[in-house]
Amino acid sequence: MHVGRTGRFRGLGAVRAAAVALTTSLFVGLLGGTAAAAPEQSSITSVTKEGRTWHLKVYSAAMQTDIPIDVQRPVDESAPAPNLFMLNGLDGGEGTASWAAQTDALQFLAQKQVNVIQPIGGRGSYYTDWLQRDPKLGLNKWKTFLTEELPPLLDKALNSTGLNALAGLSTSGTSVLQLAEAKPGLFKSVAAYSGCAQIADPVGQQFVRFSTETWAGGNTVNMYGPPDSPVWAENDPVINAEKLRGTRLYISSGSGIPMLEDVRYYLESSPGPTGAVNLGLGVAIEAAVNSCTANLKSRLDSLGIPATYQFNPVGTHYWPYWEEALHKSWPLLAEGMGVPA
């Protein structure tokens, strides 16, 4: 059989390639290691439809696991719609600290032309990228997931308009500002309800430790490092407030002064001394959040960045106030998503 010059070179190249592959395989085997595999891609791995609610499983390459995502589809599913991301409370929606369980949010938004996106998971994580895996809370790369991996997958699967808004409460009220700063322009409107924006100073760090360590059992050293680590400042929404320029902002908090309804709620939901302790915590947390919010306003004002503020003269740290804030902030959220209020 005749083999031309080009064919001989191709044949030699194939032999060399095979030799390199064999050598690499033997070398890895001798060292007792494994050859590096191609990185896995983020993808939607399953969809279960329950009426207008879609239950998605989305594989996160960053977190190396499937993340449940609940989607309430828009009132007109045949037409493109924007995405409203709604982050849950400290338990990440794994328990009862969720918009779905505690408020009328889904009913209120059911007649709107929006996809309501609720990630389930991230307990105690602040929806941020942790420096390292935590023995209790696992591998957390939520910033990467929510700003890089998930949005393009949803745009394709849901036929989205590409316009996004973001809302969060309590700990996730901090997270929504961090996420907006992580990728300016991704979220056109952001609503933060009762979130403490400053996290790098001792008071802010203690607030984060209370949530992540005392309540959720994690270790903030695995999140941002020791207290003197620069990573705290890199993730502080007040320090990085310039990155919020151009984003529509709605920011709310209460004074911490309880109404009669607040007292009744805490005492009746946990009778006895526990109810009184919870009431005290609800008062103290919201008062601290109110101070954080005032500091954020001062910072934004100094930079000439506009925002809509709702400083309630009363109110503790619990769901009825966040439900009310969602309703009040809806026109701003809708404006950013390009839908009627």
Side-chain angles (χ1 to χ4, degrees):
M1 181 177 65
H2 175 73
V3 179
R5 181 180 179 87
T6 302
R8 287 197 299 271
F9 284 155
R10 286 176 179 164
L12 289 171
V15 171
R16 291 192 186 104
V20 169
L22 177 60
T23 303
T24 302
S25 178
L26 290 171
F27 183 72
V28 171
L30 288 170
L31 292 179
T34 57
E40 296 177 287
Q41 297 296 312
S42 301
S43 61
I44 296 176
T45 58
S46 72
V47 180
T48 303
K49 298 181 181 180
E50 184 182 0
R52 281 175 54 191
T53 299
W54 291 15
H55 302 288
L56 310 181
K57 290 289 182 66
V58 180
Y59 179 78
S60 166
M63 290 190 278
Q64 302 168 21
T65 191
D66 280 343
I67 305 296
I69 306 291
D70 284 351
V71 180
Q72 178 174 277
R73 298 285 278 139
V75 63
D76 181 3
E77 295 185 58
S78 67
N83 296 332
L84 172 58
F85 291 74
M86 300 190 71
L87 302 187
N88 289 303
L90 188 56
D91 71 7
E94 296 172 1
T96 58
S98 70
W99 287 104
Q102 298 290 340
T103 73
D104 70 352
L106 294 181
Q107 294 92 327
F108 171 67
L109 295 167
Q111 299 306 311
K112 314 296 185 186
Q113 188 58 21
V114 295
N115 294 298
V116 183
I117 314 297
Q118 287 193 87
I120 309 299
R123 179 177 181 269
S125 71
Y126 269 85
Y127 295 105
T128 191
D129 279 7
W130 288 43
L131 292 175
Q132 57 195 26
R133 184 184 292 272
D134 185 81
K136 177 73 173 181
L137 301 181
L139 178 61
N140 289 291
K141 296 292 181 183
W142 286 93
K143 179 172 71 175
T144 297
F145 179 67
L146 292 171
T147 62
E148 301 293 340
E149 296 180 318
L150 183 60
L153 295 174
L154 292 179
D155 285 345
K156 184 177 181 180
L158 304 177
N159 188 29
S160 302
T161 63
L163 298 176
N164 303 299
L166 181 62
L169 64 303
S170 189
T171 52
S172 68
T174 303
S175 307
V176 295
L177 298 172
Q178 293 174 315
L179 293 168
E181 292 176 350
K183 194 165 186 179
L186 175 61
F187 302 104
K188 305 303 181 183
S189 300
V190 174
Y193 317 125
S194 297
C196 186
Q198 62 188 75
I199 66 166
D201 68 307
V203 174
Q205 288 182 344
Q206 184 56 46
F207 195 91
V208 175
R209 280 194 294 269
F210 173 78
S211 301
T212 298
E213 298 184 351
T214 305
W215 189 87
N219 187 338
T220 56
V221 172
N222 295 323
M223 180 193 281
Y224 294 141
D228 59 351
S229 167
V231 181
W232 286 91
E234 292 168 8
N235 288 276
D236 187 304
V238 175
I239 293 173
N240 297 284
E242 175 60 39
K243 295 178 181 179
L244 295 172
R245 190 178 299 278
T247 302
R248 295 171 180 83
L249 299 169
Y250 190 99
I251 301 166
S252 69
S253 65
S255 66
I257 298 173
M259 297 283 287
L260 180 60
E261 292 83 355
D262 301 37
V263 175
R264 185 180 297 115
Y265 165 80
Y266 285 107
L267 297 183
E268 291 180 357
S269 61
S270 299
T274 302
V277 170
N278 289 343
L279 173 61
L281 286 173
V283 169
I285 291 172
E286 195 66 16
V289 161
N290 201 45
S291 177
C292 290
T293 304
N295 291 342
L296 175 63
K297 182 180 186 303
S298 296
R299 173 68 170 158
L300 292 173
D301 287 348
S302 72
L303 294 171
I305 297 176
T308 299
Y309 298 96
Q310 177 190 339
F311 285 100
N312 293 326
V314 295
T316 58
H317 200 72
Y318 87 121
W319 287 95
Y321 294 105
W322 304 327
E323 178 180 280
E324 177 188 38
L326 170 64
H327 286 250
K328 289 184 176 180
S329 62
W330 169 248
L332 180 139
L333 294 169
E335 182 182 17
M337 292 185 289
V339 297

